Amino acid sequence: MAEPKVVGFVCDWAVATEGLTDGDGRLSAHPSVRIVRVPCSGFMRPDWLEETLRAGADGAFVTGCPYGDCLNREGNYLMRDRVEQLARRLSRRRVEAGRLAMLAHGLHDRPAFLEDVATFLQRLAALPPAAPSRPARPAAPAGGPAPAASTRPAAPTGSVTPSEESP
Amino acid sequence: MYRRALSWLLRQTLKLDVTINRVYPTDWNPLYYTGGLTNFFLLVLVVSGILLFFYYVASLDGAYASVAYLTDAVPYGGLLRGIHRYAADAFIIAALLHLFRNWFTDRYLFSRDGPWISGMFLLILGGFIGVNGYQLVWDTRAQAITQIFVQMLRAIPLAGPPLAHLFLGGPGISDALLPRILFLHIGTASFLYLLLWWHYVRLRHPKIWPPATWVLTTLGLITLLAALPGTAPVAGVPAQPGVGVTSYPLDVFFLLPFWLTNWLPAGVVMGGLILLFLAGYVIPYLDRETEPAMGVRHAGVAQVIDGNCTGCELCYYDCPYDAIVMVPSPHPGVTKAAANRKLLAVVMDSRCVECGICVGACPFEALELPKFLEADLTRRIAQAVAAPASQTVTA
Amino acid sequence: MGSRRVSFLAVVALAGLSLVLAALIILGEVLDNYALGGGALGAILVAYGVIGLFLRKLGITGPRGAERS
């Protein structure tokens, strides 16, 4: 079967992906994984991860520097907490928590990085396929946390909790 | 050339990290805590130094005898002396590791130069305090390094001779010397804490304490070195005025410049030291105009989008550099969520390192990095999701 | 599972060693042999540090289990 489609957000200072990717940011080892470089893992707003899933990706991961060695001191710890919070929030909406991952690899830790990505892909492959047609996010009202219940077709029944903590 | 050497050193540093991380959990990697270790050793020095101070007599006749009494007659006095000595060595080792690691991993550039400059002051004063500590014992080694140090001072043009006079408390070595050195030793050590405030001032959570395993291990190693017969401090030969000293045991971490005077005139060594430290101050500004290695983007100082800010303080709590301050809001925000805000986030440009952690912290889209906007990222996400991967079917 | 066992055995062995070292501290104190007492004190601290590492490897201490170790 097809490999799950994944978007990976990699910190500029974490694992170097030059040579691992083609021009479009596809990992050559796993062509279904696309890498997007960001200034720091802590730059990722959880909304964007949610949006990535909603736009049709099967999974998303963020890669920061090893814990304790963030160039910006705390970006990777903060992001780990945010990913955990987002996973909890999503699982309340029947989106599997396993679709999100936080990895931490230094600039020269490529083998371990690829290993972790492969593990993540296996985990995704074991999950039931994502809901086939998730509509794209409607134009977000300016302000306010993640858009509300109308964009949750993945939840089969109405047992969604609209109250959610801000990330 | 300089940049290529640095990027090679960066690669080696991080490869070393990968190796250490196989043995230790990553957040226990000692190289991530070189600053915390230095601070820990400084505390060990302060505590053991206070205990040593109770026994010390600051006079030419009494100094050596008081140290010898402490070493031989006081229970665990020799151990205490050894701990003070080896903690000082550990302090310098950890401080140098801290310096080189942050140099090689580019953590001193742009708005991170404050810690670098204060760190250079800390290093110079730390080395100076160490030399003073060896003078306090007033054995033959102390006598020799005092003579050499005075020669080095006198070699400085213009300011040198008065400085030497000031240092000695007179034209030559007299009873005025040791109280001065004791004050320089303790007073400068206290001053280190003021510099440490500067060193930490913009860090929200400075890592001032290493993990427990490293506290125990390093303190144990220091104690072990202080107690073992081969390495425990022994009383040297008391200083004899007027007698030339030909050789003395060397502590490579503090007394290296004095060793160099075997071959070089004292003035040259002093000039070299001054040049070395001046170069240290220049390091953060060498690379200013060029892109740092690793092709890192300059995302620009974070900007607050006034109309969206709700004054919720999330970015204020998450900014690792204390670069965001909350001020009373001068006017209400534009959006519904921001209409009733009491506070407004303001970014202090001089502290911002352009990391974008505040962007990730803000659920209200009130922060942006001007050269890497939300639109840039969402476009890239859309591209990544929409484009079919070569071997997969579109979902 | 093998490495867990090794860690566990290391903790037990180091704890035993620490007991001996604690006895040596007392012995040094009784004999007024400060080098022995100080050396045993240093060694016991090192042993405790290494025990801390192995406890972490066993997952007994440490901030979270989520990390790769």
Side-chain angles (χ1 to χ4, degrees), chain A residues 92-95 131 152-160:
Chain A
R92 274 189 241 129
R93 298 181 212 159
R94 310 291 166 87
V95 178
R152 286 177 203 146
T157 51
S159 70
V160 286

Side-chain angles (χ1 to χ4, degrees), chain A residues 1-7 9-14 18 22 24 26 28 30-49 51-58 65-80 82 104 106-109 111 132 137 140-146 166-167, chain B residues 10-12 14-15 17-18 21-22 26-28 31-33 101 105-107 112 203-207 292-297 299 308 314 317-321 335-337 353-369 372-374 377-378 380-395:
Chain A
M1 70 170 260
E3 281 203 303
K5 183 181 268 191
V6 169
V7 184
F9 300 93
V10 180
C11 161
D12 275 342
W13 301 83
E18 295 91 55
D22 65 10
D24 291 339
R26 274 189 212 95
S28 13
H30 307 280
S32 65
V33 178
R34 298 277 290 240
I35 300 293
V36 176
R37 309 288 307 209
V38 291
C40 174
S41 56
F43 171 80
M44 284 307 295
R45 191 179 290 165
D47 274 11
W48 296 333
L49 294 175
E51 197 174 308
T52 310
L53 293 184
R54 206 181 285 127
D58 293 302
C65 303
Y67 295 112
D69 195 32
C70 179
L71 181 92
N72 303 309
R73 306 193 65 81
E74 293 162 16
N76 48 7
Y77 284 114
L78 289 166
M79 198 60 219
R80 183 174 67 186
R82 291 178 196 158
L107 194 61
H108 297 286
D109 217 358
R137 179 189 187 185
S166 301
Chain B
L10 166 75
R11 229 171 297 134
Q12 300 313 311
L14 293 181
K15 270 187 188 151
D17 281 357
V18 172
N21 285 345
R22 292 216 182 93
T26 58
D27 55 350
W28 280 10
L31 292 181
Y32 298 170
Y33 290 92
R101 192 185 152 78
T105 53
D106 287 351
R107 284 164 208 217
R112 294 165 215 256
L203 302 183
R204 181 149 196 106
H205 304 120
K207 289 195 278 188
M294 303 194 291
V296 157
R297 74 183 100 233
N308 285 356
L314 285 174
Y317 285 117
D318 276 2
C319 178
Y321 290 96
T335 62
K336 210 170 140 194
V353 300
E354 313 175 5
C355 63
I357 285 175
C358 50
V359 179
C362 181
F364 301 103
E365 307 181 356
L367 280 150
E368 288 269 44
L369 295 180
F372 194 68
L373 299 171
E374 174 171 11
L377 190 82
T378 42
R380 261 170 241 200
I381 294 174
Q383 274 173 5
V385 176
S390 48
Q391 297 163 17
T392 52
V393 285
T394 342

Side-chain angles (χ1 to χ4, degrees), chain B residues 25-73:
Chain B
T26 58
D27 55 350
W28 280 10
N29 184 330
L31 292 181
Y32 298 170
Y33 290 92
T34 45
L37 280 169
T38 314
N39 187 57
F40 166 66
F41 294 140
L42 185 58
L43 186 74
V44 173
L45 285 168
V46 168
V47 172
S48 58
I50 288 173
L51 295 175
L52 291 174
F53 177 75
F54 293 147
Y55 288 91
Y56 185 69
V57 178
S59 70
L60 288 185
D61 298 328
Y64 180 83
S66 70
V67 174
Y69 172 75
L70 174 79
T71 313
D72 300 330

